[in-house]
Amino acid sequence: MTPSLNADLHCHSVVSDGTLTPEALAERAKANGVELWALTDHDEVGGLQRAAAAARANGLAYLTGVEISVTFIEQTVHVVGLGFDPASQALQSGLRQTRGGRGQRALDMSDGLAKIGIQGAYEGALKFAGNHDLISRTHFARFLVESGVCRDTNEVFRKYLTEGKPGFIEHRWSSLKDAVRWITEAGGVAVIAHPARYKFTATEEFALFSEFKNHGGQAVEVVTGSHTAAEYVSYAAIATEFGLAASRGSDFHSPLESHTELGTLPPLPEHLTPVWDLLAGRIQH
Ligand code: AMP
Ligand code: MN
Ligand code: MN
Ligand code: MN
């Protein structure tokens, strides 16, 4: 297949922190001209049966997907998995373990917000969580917008939910090595998600890609809703330097909150190997 395929291999449903169902996402992807689609909920494969059925109903080529939260050199890194077998026991227990700390983290976030006078944030956030096992900062952000504390979720993250702010709690997620292993042992391809969003030094970033590659990681998101055009160019160069395939995905969460709509990103640069070339046998039609 060609690098110009309209693939969207990164988005979120109500099963994690998106606002649309897997069915609504599949319909929206189809309507927007997506030719290959994956649902990549955070730390959770619970929406994939519905996604696969909806993709089939819409005549949309489909890959299984997930976005795993990892801690690498004291920062959170996201690793997307594509084309794995969701029935894999190792993957399922790894994801269960990764999700496991979210409940206590949310209670601690709520305590932090209560200290500055914002009451009831845990219960408020939980109302927005379609999956109570997957309460995330996004659900807190929606609650603070609903309560009138901020105008939009970006403002909430900036003022309350990022490092050093009252609702931010340090959290240790899974290791890079484990996340890559769960994906690859389940027959999938591991992808570093939105690399430009991390705050690594050049040396740390080199370590991230080197270790990722050593553990069996095979791809990097180059064209994503969280990159600028200049960042597409930087990470195309990283893909070439590390011999990684390239992925493309909007990271769409919600019609009202997301600035990048499903299926509307520019194509991958022509000279890169598209991640879907590694996954040809895993695409469901
Ligand atoms: P969590 O996994 O609970 O730490 O939540 C991470 C999610 O928060 C990401 O997947 C994004 O959907 C969202 N997020 C992170 N940073 C921001 C930001 N600055 N503005 C809006 N949403 C953000
Ligand atoms: Mn998210
Ligand atoms: Mn992410
Ligand atoms: Mn995402």
Side-chain angles (χ1 to χ4, degrees), residues 228-275:
T228 62
E231 289 163 348
Y232 303 159
V233 177
S234 309
Y235 288 93
I238 292 272
T240 304
E241 178 184 351
F242 287 88
L244 295 169
S247 192
R248 175 180 190 264
S250 58
D251 207 358
F252 180 80
H253 283 70
S254 157
L256 296 178
E257 294 163 16
S258 296
H259 55 89
T260 306
E261 183 49 79
L262 280 166
T264 62
L265 286 166
L268 284 179
E270 286 282 339
H271 62 282
L272 301 178
T273 302
V275 69

Side-chain angles (χ1 to χ4, degrees), residues 1-274:
M1 272 178 287
T2 64
S4 63
L5 186 77
N6 190 349
D8 195 324
L9 304 179
H10 189 152
C11 68
H12 299 272
S13 77
V14 290
V15 173
S16 64
D17 60 348
T19 61
L20 300 184
T21 60
E23 290 80 8
L25 286 166
E27 277 173 31
R28 198 174 182 99
K30 183 68 182 182
N32 289 351
V34 171
E35 296 168 291
L36 176 63
W37 175 61
L39 172 66
T40 55
D41 277 313
H42 296 285
D43 307 325
E44 173 69 273
V45 292
L48 294 187
Q49 274 192 358
R50 289 169 65 185
R56 208 174 313 119
N58 284 281
L60 198 53
Y62 166 83
L63 283 165
T64 54
V66 69
E67 182 176 19
I68 305 182
S69 311
V70 158
T71 301
F72 184 80
I73 324 185
E74 308 301 315
Q75 284 194 52
T76 300
V77 165
H78 286 168
V79 175
V80 162
L82 295 171
F84 51 82
D85 174 4
S88 159
Q89 286 304 310
L91 176 69
Q92 288 197 4
S93 79
L95 293 178
R96 203 176 308 120
Q97 176 196 312
T98 310
R99 286 192 300 270
R102 281 185 179 271
Q104 187 58 49
R105 172 190 187 237
L107 290 167
D108 294 345
M109 286 171 64
S110 189
D111 286 349
L113 292 167
K115 286 199 183 104
I116 56 154
I118 299 171
Q119 304 300 332
Y122 176 77
E123 293 74 16
L126 207 55
K127 272 194 306 164
F128 284 93
N131 172 3
H132 286 191
D133 277 353
L134 213 115
I135 182 161
S136 92
R137 285 187 291 160
T138 311
H139 303 118
F140 280 83
R142 290 184 185 135
F143 169 67
L144 293 197
V145 171
E146 181 198 53
S147 321
V149 175
C150 290
R151 259 169 306 134
D152 58 41
T153 53
N154 278 324
E155 187 187 343
V156 183
F157 274 91
R158 201 171 61 246
K159 294 187 175 163
Y160 297 100
L161 300 181
T162 41
E163 187 139 18
K165 300 295 155 59
F168 184 79
I169 297 294
E170 287 289 346
H171 191 73
R172 185 151 296 277
W173 302 102
S174 299
S175 72
L176 180 68
K177 181 180 183 179
D178 284 345
V180 172
R181 184 170 50 82
W182 299 330
I183 295 163
T184 52
E185 286 184 0
V189 167
V191 186
I192 295 283
H194 44 63
R197 295 283 63 80
Y198 312 129
K199 297 192 167 55
F200 291 124
T201 63
T203 312
E204 289 169 341
E205 186 179 67
F206 186 87
L208 170 67
F209 284 104
S210 306
E211 290 190 30
F212 175 69
K213 182 91 186 169
N214 286 340
H215 296 318
Q218 295 181 83
V220 55
E221 283 184 350
V222 171
V223 176
T224 134
S226 4
H227 282 180
T228 62
E231 289 163 348
Y232 303 159
V233 177
S234 309
Y235 288 93
I238 292 272
T240 304
E241 178 184 351
F242 287 88
L244 295 169
S247 192
R248 175 180 190 264
S250 58
D251 207 358
F252 180 80
H253 283 70
S254 157
L256 296 178
E257 294 163 16
S258 296
H259 55 89
T260 306
E261 183 49 79
L262 280 166
T264 62
L265 286 166
L268 284 179
E270 286 282 339
H271 62 282
L272 301 178
T273 302

